[in-house]
């Protein structure tokens, strides 16, 4: 576990030193939030839309943005970079368990997921969205978003390890978009309770 | 999605929250097992 933590710290430093890879993961979900709210907020006014529970439409859209941000993890692409650059082979030659290489990446994604989700929710608070479930709800919200970041990064890492190709790994990440639009993204499903 | 949405829009609705966490934990475990298998067989 110590090795995994050390490799996780390395992955975090890697992310910190490459803000160009990190910033779009915050910007793009915010962009979708603003665009979707701009498109549909007038159709669903808060005072007459039961499923909004008195909040604005932004509160309904924020979870989509949280999941989107959590699904933009760069762990797999950094892993492909390690494979192509030969660093991965050096790691495999060291006396550390191979699983710690994967675990390190996932630990780093969990930490990044917490930071990104916190930033998005705090930005949401600035724009009038409130977390109805309180402080515990905020913690659970951030925790669940970070957990999803680990899940999706795990999926991306498996593609990276199988294909060893940056192009294939990058394309595989796009699967999130059709999945997102299969959910009740814009309006609550009529089968869901209000 | 519904778990996240319930946390923002409603008070703590544990049935939705636990369902969301259960889905994420199960999928996370599947991904972890898959990745461990892949990296152990990597050559």
């Amino acid at each position: 576990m110590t090795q995994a933590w050390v490799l996780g710290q390395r992955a975090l430093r890697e992310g910190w030193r490459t803000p160009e890879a990190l910033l779009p993961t915050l910007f793009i979900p915010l962009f979708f939030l603003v665009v979707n709210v701009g498109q549909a907020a007038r159709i669903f006014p808060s005072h007459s839309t039961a499923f909004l529970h008195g909040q604005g439409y932004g509160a309904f859209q924020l979870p989509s943005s949280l999941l989107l941000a959590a699904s933009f993890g760069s762990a797999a692409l950094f892993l492909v970079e390690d494979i192509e650059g030969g660093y991965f082979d050096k790691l495999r030659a060291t006396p550390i368990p191979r699983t710690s290489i994967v675990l390190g990446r996932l630990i780093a994604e969990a930490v990044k997921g917490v930071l990104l989700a916190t930033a998005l929710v705090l930005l949401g608070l600035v724009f009038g969205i409130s977390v109805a479930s309180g402080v515990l709800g905020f913690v659970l919200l951030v925790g669940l978003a970070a957990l999803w970041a680990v899940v999706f990064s795990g999926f991306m890492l498996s593609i990276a390890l199988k294909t060893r190709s940056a192009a294939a790994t990058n394309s595989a990440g796009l699967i999130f978009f059709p999945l997102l639009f299969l959910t009740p993204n814009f309006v609550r499903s009529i089968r869901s309770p209000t | 999605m519904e778990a996240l949405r319930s946390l923002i829009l409603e008070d703590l609705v544990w049935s939705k929250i636990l369902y969301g966490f259960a889905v994420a934990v199960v999928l996370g475990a599947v991904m972890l097992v898959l990745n461990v298998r892949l990296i152990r067989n990597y050559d």
Side-chain angles (χ1 to χ4, degrees):
Chain A
M1 202 61 199
T2 314
Q3 293 97 331
W5 176 236
V6 170
L7 288 171
Q9 285 176 307
R10 174 187 171 264
L12 283 171
R13 277 195 299 274
E14 202 173 42
W16 184 249
R17 288 171 184 165
T18 325
E20 301 86 355
L22 199 60
L23 285 177
T25 61
L26 189 62
F27 170 74
I28 295 172
L30 273 176
F31 175 81
F32 270 89
L33 180 66
V34 171
V35 167
N36 288 341
V37 170
Q39 281 178 332
R42 283 187 192 169
I43 303 168
F44 303 109
S46 58
H47 58 85
S48 59
T49 310
F51 66 77
L52 294 179
H53 295 271
Q55 290 214 51
Y57 188 67
F60 188 79
Q61 276 297 318
L62 184 60
S64 303
S65 294
L66 284 170
L67 288 181
L68 194 58
S71 305
F72 273 147
S74 48
L77 289 171
F78 280 124
L79 182 72
V80 173
E81 232 174 58
D82 282 352
I83 292 171
E84 288 174 345
Y87 185 73
F88 187 75
D89 288 330
K90 287 179 187 169
L91 278 179
R92 287 198 305 142
T94 57
I96 57 165
R98 284 187 175 195
T99 48
S100 60
I101 300 173
V102 169
L103 284 175
R105 290 276 169 202
L106 293 178
I107 289 168
E109 282 308 303
V111 174
K112 278 195 261 181
V114 166
L115 294 175
L116 275 172
T118 304
L120 270 172
V121 176
L122 290 179
L123 278 169
L125 295 179
V126 171
F127 289 103
I129 298 169
S130 61
V131 180
S133 50
V135 177
L136 178 59
F138 177 85
V139 173
L140 290 171
L141 193 64
V142 169
L144 188 52
L147 198 54
W148 179 255
V150 172
V151 171
F152 205 77
S153 290
F155 163 71
M156 298 277 283
L157 282 174
S158 67
I159 303 290
L161 285 168
K162 192 73 185 166
T163 65
R164 306 171 196 191
S165 156
T169 306
N170 209 15
S171 300
L174 295 176
I175 198 167
F176 180 75
F177 284 100
L179 290 178
L180 182 66
F181 285 101
L182 284 175
T183 65
N185 185 30
F186 289 101
V187 63
R188 187 180 287 278
S189 162
I190 51 172
R191 286 186 300 167
S192 303
T194 55
Chain B
M1 177 86 88
E2 286 305 312
L4 292 173
R5 204 161 264 162
S6 81
L7 284 165
I8 295 172
L9 293 170
E10 303 166 58
D11 204 352
L12 297 165
V13 183
W14 288 108
S15 57
K16 290 182 186 175
I17 297 165
L18 291 177
Y19 185 73
F21 270 95
V23 169
V25 166
V26 168
L27 286 175
V30 170
M31 289 305 158
L32 193 60
V33 169
L34 184 67
N35 278 300
V36 167
R37 275 182 65 116
L38 280 168
I39 204 158
R40 280 191 179 156
N41 297 322
Y42 186 97
D43 270 314

